[in-house]
Amino acid sequence: MENAKLNPMGTKPMFPLVMSMALPAMMSMLVQALYNIVDSYFVAKVSEDALTAVSLVFPVQNLLIAVAIGTGVGLNSLISRRLGEGRLDDARAAAAHGLLLAVFNWLLFAVIGLFASRPFISAFTANAAVVEMGVQYMSIVCAASLGICMEGCIEKTLQATGNMIYPMISQMLGAVTNIILDPVFIFGLGGVPKMGVAGAAIATVLGQILAMFFLFFVLAFREKVLRIDLRRFKFHGGIVRDIYAVGFPSIVMQSIGSLMTVGMNAILIRFTETAVAFFGVYFKLQSFVFMPVFGLNQGVMPVIGYNYGARQRHRVTSAVKVGCSIAVCIMAAGTVLFWAVPAQLLSIFNASETMLAIGVPALRTISTCFVAAALGILFSTAFQALGHGFNSLLISVLRQLVILLPAAFLLSRVGLNAVWFAFPIAELFALAASIVLYLRLYKQVICPLGQEGGAAAE
C-alpha cells in the first residue's frame, strides 16, 4: 500500500490524472484514424474495385490487430495490477512473456496470409480484379505482421507503468510514415514502381515495423520500471494463463468484430458491391470518432487496474465515472458530425452517386447509437481492468453476433436502408446488459475493497 501512496495513479485527482494518461493515447489514436482515412482515400483513387478489395480484407486485418492488441490488453491489466500490489518482479516477468507471445502471434498470421488469402477473398466475389487485389493486400499485411504484433505488446506494457508518451510517439511515427509512403508506393513516385493496392499494404507494414523498432529502443534504454533481462527469462505457463485470462476475451471480443464484418459483407453484397465498399468506408470514418475513445481507454485502464490492486475503492469508481463522461462527450460530437455533413464525409473517398444514395442515410442511422456505444466501451474497459474480461466478451457477443447480425439479416428483407437500424438496436440491448453486469461486479468486487484513497478520488 505504501507504493500506492507514492505513485500518482494512486494519489493524483482523478480528472487531471485520466486526462494526463489518456491525452497522449487519444492524440496518437486520432493520427491512426487520420491514417485510416488517408489510406482509403488513396486506395479509392485507384478504383472502386480496389476499395472493395481492401474492404473485404478488413475483417482479417481487424483480426490481426485484435490478437496483437488483445494480448497487449492482457499484459496491461496483469502488469498494472502487479505494480499496484507491489510485485515488481512478477510485472517484469509478464512483460518478458509478452515479447514471446508477440512472436508466436506473428508466425500464426504469416501462415494465414501465405495460404488462406485467395480462398478467403474468392468466397465473397467472382470479380477477378477484386480477388487479385485482395490477395495481394492480405498476403502482405499478414506475412509482414511482426511489427504490429510487437508494437501492440510493448505499447501496452509501457502504458501499464503510466508511460503514455512513448506509446503515443510510436503510434504517430507509424501512422505518419504510412501516410507519407502511401502515395509513393501506390502511385509510383520518386522512381518507385507503381504498385497500387500492394503498395498500400507495403506502406502499412513499413510504418508498423518502424514503430516496433522505436519501442524496442525505448524498452531497452529508456524504461526504468520494467527492466527486461531476456538472459534470465524462464517460461511460466501460469503467467501466460494470467495474461490471456483478460487478453483472450479481449481478442475474442475484437475478433467478433471481424466475424460481424464478414457477416455484414455477406448480407450487403447481395444488394451491390458498392454497399460493401461503403461499409468499408464507414469503418474508416467512424474510426475518427471511436479512436479517441479507445485512446481514452488506454488511459483509464491502468488507473482502474492500479487502484484495484491497491484496494482504493473510491478511485476505481471515480475513474469509471470520469471515463464515461469524457467518452459520452466525444461520441455526442461524432453523432452531430455524421448527421450534419454525411455527403461531404463520403466525398473524401470519391463516392459515386450510388454510394452517396446508400451512405448518407446509413451514416445518419448508424450514428444514433454512438452515445450508447461510448458507455458500453467504457464498461468493457472497466471489466478488463478488474480482471473480468469475460464480461466484456459477453457484451461483445451480444452486440455483434447475437443481436446485430440476425437483426441485419431480418431487416435486409425490408430493404438496404433498413439494414442500418440493426446497429442502434444492438447497442441499446448491449448497453442495458453492460449496466446490469457492472452493477453486479460493483457489489461483488468493488464494494469489498478498502476505503483508502477516497479523498484523493474526488
Side-chain angles (χ1 to χ4, degrees):
M1 198 62 62
E2 189 65 27
N3 187 44
K5 295 178 181 178
L6 299 175
N7 194 305
M9 285 199 288
T11 59
K12 190 173 181 179
M14 191 53 65
F15 181 77
L17 173 62
V18 168
M19 292 306 295
S20 66
M21 294 282 289
L23 274 177
M26 292 169 70
M27 290 297 296
S28 63
M29 285 295 184
L30 277 172
V31 175
Q32 289 285 333
L34 179 63
Y35 145 68
N36 287 335
I37 291 175
V38 171
D39 189 59
S40 292
Y41 168 80
F42 286 124
V43 169
K45 291 286 187 182
V46 177
S47 67
E48 189 170 293
D49 279 349
L51 192 59
T52 301
V54 173
S55 297
L56 288 173
V57 177
F58 177 76
V60 177
Q61 200 170 10
N62 192 51
L63 178 62
L64 166 60
I65 295 172
V67 172
I69 301 302
T71 301
V73 166
L75 274 171
N76 184 299
S77 178
L78 180 60
I79 292 171
S80 61
R81 282 182 281 131
R82 294 296 178 260
L83 290 175
E85 295 162 357
R87 298 164 59 181
L88 180 58
D89 288 341
D90 289 343
R92 288 173 174 168
H97 279 71
L99 300 180
L100 176 66
L101 294 173
V103 173
F104 175 82
N105 292 337
W106 162 58
L107 293 174
L108 173 64
F109 277 94
V111 171
I112 292 173
L114 293 174
F115 296 103
S117 296
R118 188 170 298 276
F120 178 80
I121 301 299
S122 299
F124 292 92
T125 178
N127 186 322
V130 172
V131 170
E132 288 306 315
M133 287 185 284
V135 169
Q136 291 174 7
Y137 192 86
M138 180 172 165
S139 299
I140 294 170
V141 297
C142 288
S145 60
L146 179 62
I148 186 62
C149 290
M150 280 290 182
E151 182 185 357
C153 285
I154 301 175
E155 174 187 295
K156 299 300 182 186
T157 295
L158 295 174
Q159 289 173 350
T161 69
N163 186 338
M164 308 302 290
I165 299 300
Y166 287 128
M168 177 193 73
I169 294 173
S170 73
Q171 290 187 16
M172 295 180 71
L173 182 64
V176 170
T177 299
N178 198 336
I179 291 171
I180 294 173
L181 294 181
D182 258 337
V184 174
F185 288 110
I186 292 174
F187 304 117
L189 305 179
V192 176
K194 180 180 179 180
M195 290 182 276
V197 168
I202 292 171
T204 295
V205 298
L206 287 179
Q208 293 167 352
I209 290 171
L210 181 60
M212 175 191 72
F213 280 121
F214 172 77
L215 288 174
F216 268 134
F217 174 82
V218 172
L219 195 61
F221 300 106
R222 292 289 184 267
E223 174 55 35
K224 297 179 181 179
V225 177
L226 295 178
R227 291 285 186 180
I228 300 176
D229 187 354
L230 294 178
R231 294 171 298 181
R232 300 173 59 186
F233 175 80
K234 291 183 180 179
F235 178 80
H236 292 285
I239 294 177
V240 175
R241 182 192 65 235
D242 290 342
I243 290 171
Y244 282 114
V246 172
F248 184 72
S250 177
I251 291 171
V252 175
M253 181 174 63
Q254 295 180 68
S255 300
I256 288 169
S258 296
L259 292 176
M260 179 274 290
T261 305
V262 169
M264 286 296 297
N265 285 342
I267 292 170
L268 295 173
I269 206 164
R270 294 189 306 166
F271 292 97
T272 170
E273 287 188 354
T274 302
V276 174
F278 158 74
F279 196 53
V281 166
Y282 159 71
F283 271 102
K284 305 299 183 180
L285 290 172
Q286 64 98 21
S287 71
F288 208 74
V289 182
F290 278 71
M291 282 294 196
V293 178
F294 294 144
L296 174 66
N297 288 351
Q298 294 180 22
V300 172
M301 180 178 288
V303 175
I304 296 174
Y306 183 93
N307 286 285
Y308 174 65
R311 301 190 61 82
Q312 299 197 89
R313 185 186 72 181
H314 291 289
R315 290 185 65 78
V316 171
T317 56
S318 180
V320 173
K321 292 175 183 176
V322 168
C324 285
S325 300
I326 299 171
V328 165
C329 291
I330 294 171
M331 289 297 209
T335 302
V336 172
L337 179 66
F338 274 49
W339 269 84
V341 289
Q344 290 84 343
L345 292 174
L346 291 171
S347 297
I348 296 172
F349 305 94
N350 287 345
S352 62
E353 290 299 320
T354 302
M355 184 178 288
L356 287 172
I358 294 171
V360 169
L363 289 183
R364 286 177 170 159
T365 300
I366 297 174
S367 64
T368 58
C369 72
F370 282 1
V371 171
L375 295 172
I377 290 169
L378 260 295
F379 282 129
S380 291
T381 299
F383 298 150
Q384 292 169 345
L386 295 170
H388 289 257
F390 180 78
N391 286 353
S392 296
L393 171 60
L394 182 62
I395 294 301
S396 190
V397 170
L398 183 67
R399 173 190 291 123
Q400 300 185 77
L401 294 184
V402 176
I403 298 176
L404 178 61
L405 285 182
F409 177 75
L410 292 174
L411 290 168
S412 69
R413 304 293 183 88
V414 178
L416 179 56
N417 285 342
V419 171
W420 314 117
F421 285 95
F423 285 87
I425 291 171
E427 289 294 351
L428 288 174
F429 274 98
L431 175 59
S434 296
I435 293 172
V436 170
L437 288 175
Y438 178 76
L439 291 176
R440 179 182 298 174
L441 196 64
Y442 178 82
K443 293 178 181 179
Q444 295 175 349
V445 175
I446 299 176
C447 272
L449 298 178
Q451 303 298 318
E452 298 92 335
E458 302 303 325

